[in-house]
């Protein structure tokens, strides 16, 4: 009987210790507004006008927002933003009438935002991070590097060919001049 007590205690403690897994939103803690800005396809400030009933097929809620300032990308003045219907799934709890700084990605033409991407009611986060707004519907152009003339690869190719000829010639001369080489004999 005394030998069964430790076994029973071990089994019962396993039942107590094994609790169901809790699902919660967990974001990388070392992220910054600059990193979130870089990762986002669009960044803007907008006021929520309506929030649609959660869509059971996609698990998403859609917020319609009136955009006031665009910091990155091209965003219409009246944007539709999707987020997870569940805050535990990192969905943003959009509230009609509230302003948000939205950091969103584009997925098949749909703007998607979540808490980990940086979307927040603290709209001053963008100014504090040093970002400057444009206006809605006007994309902020990304710098594009254009070539002023076509690429010319003849120089490197000629250099490589010359190097191959020099190395090949040096090997051939060395073989021909060393004793026991394949130098032709007269006579």
């Amino acid at each position: 009987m005394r030998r069964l007590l430790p076994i029973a205690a071990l089994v019962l403690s396993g039942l107590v210790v094994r609790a169901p897994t809790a699902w919660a939103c967990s974001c990388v803690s070392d992220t910054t507004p600059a990193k979130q800005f870089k990762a986002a396809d669009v960044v803007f400030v907008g006021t929520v006008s309506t929030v649609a009933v959660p869509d059971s097929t996609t698990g998403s809620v859609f917020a319609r927002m009136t955009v006031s300032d665009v910091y990155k990308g091209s965003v219409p003045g009246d944007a539709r933003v999707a987020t997870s219907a569940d805050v535990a799934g990192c969905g943003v709890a959009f509230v009609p009438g509230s302003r948000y700084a939205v950091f969103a990605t584009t997925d098949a033409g749909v703007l998607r935002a979540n808490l980990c991407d940086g979307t927040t009611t603290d709209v001053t986060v963008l100014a504090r991070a040093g970002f400057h707004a444009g206006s809605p519907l006007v994309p902020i152009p990304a710098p594009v590097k254009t070539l002023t003339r076509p690429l010319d690869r003849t120089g490197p190719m000629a250099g490589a060919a010359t190097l191959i000829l020099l190395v090949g010639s040096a090997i051939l001369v060395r073989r021909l001049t060393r004793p026991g080489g394949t130098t032709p004999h007269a006579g």
Side-chain angles (χ1 to χ4, degrees):
M1 179 72 172
R2 285 189 173 250
R3 290 190 335 179
L4 290 177
L5 270 173
I7 293 172
L10 188 62
V11 169
L12 289 174
S13 70
L15 293 175
V16 172
V17 171
R18 184 168 175 352
T21 305
W23 293 98
C25 177
S26 62
C27 304
V28 178
S29 61
D30 71 339
T31 191
T32 64
K35 288 179 184 177
Q36 292 165 329
F37 187 91
K38 185 176 181 182
D41 295 324
V42 297
V43 179
F44 63 92
V45 172
T47 302
V48 176
S49 52
T50 61
V51 178
V53 176
D55 182 346
S56 61
T57 59
T58 63
S60 295
V61 169
F62 290 90
R64 177 113 9 229
M65 302 183 82
T66 303
V67 177
S68 57
D69 299 299
V70 177
Y71 289 79
K72 181 180 180 184
S74 181
V75 184
D78 182 39
R80 187 172 177 246
V81 180
T83 191
S84 175
D86 187 5
V87 176
C90 300
V92 179
F94 287 118
V95 177
S98 296
R99 287 184 69 203
Y100 291 84
V102 178
F103 295 74
T105 55
T106 306
D107 182 18
V110 176
L111 294 177
R112 292 197 134 318
N114 68 51
L115 295 173
C116 296
D117 291 341
T119 298
T120 178
T121 55
D122 181 9
V123 296
T124 62
V125 69
L126 293 163
R128 286 194 319 267
F131 299 116
H132 304 286
S135 59
L137 298 173
V138 179
I140 298 172
V144 178
K145 195 174 194 178
T146 57
L147 296 174
T148 55
R149 59 185 173 88
L151 291 176
D152 183 14
R153 294 190 173 107
T154 54
M157 295 298 281
T162 303
L163 182 62
I164 291 170
L165 282 173
L166 286 173
V167 170
S169 298
I171 292 171
L172 184 61
V173 167
R174 185 172 171 99
R175 283 189 178 174
L176 292 175
T177 58
R178 70 179 159 159
T182 57
T183 308
H185 297 300

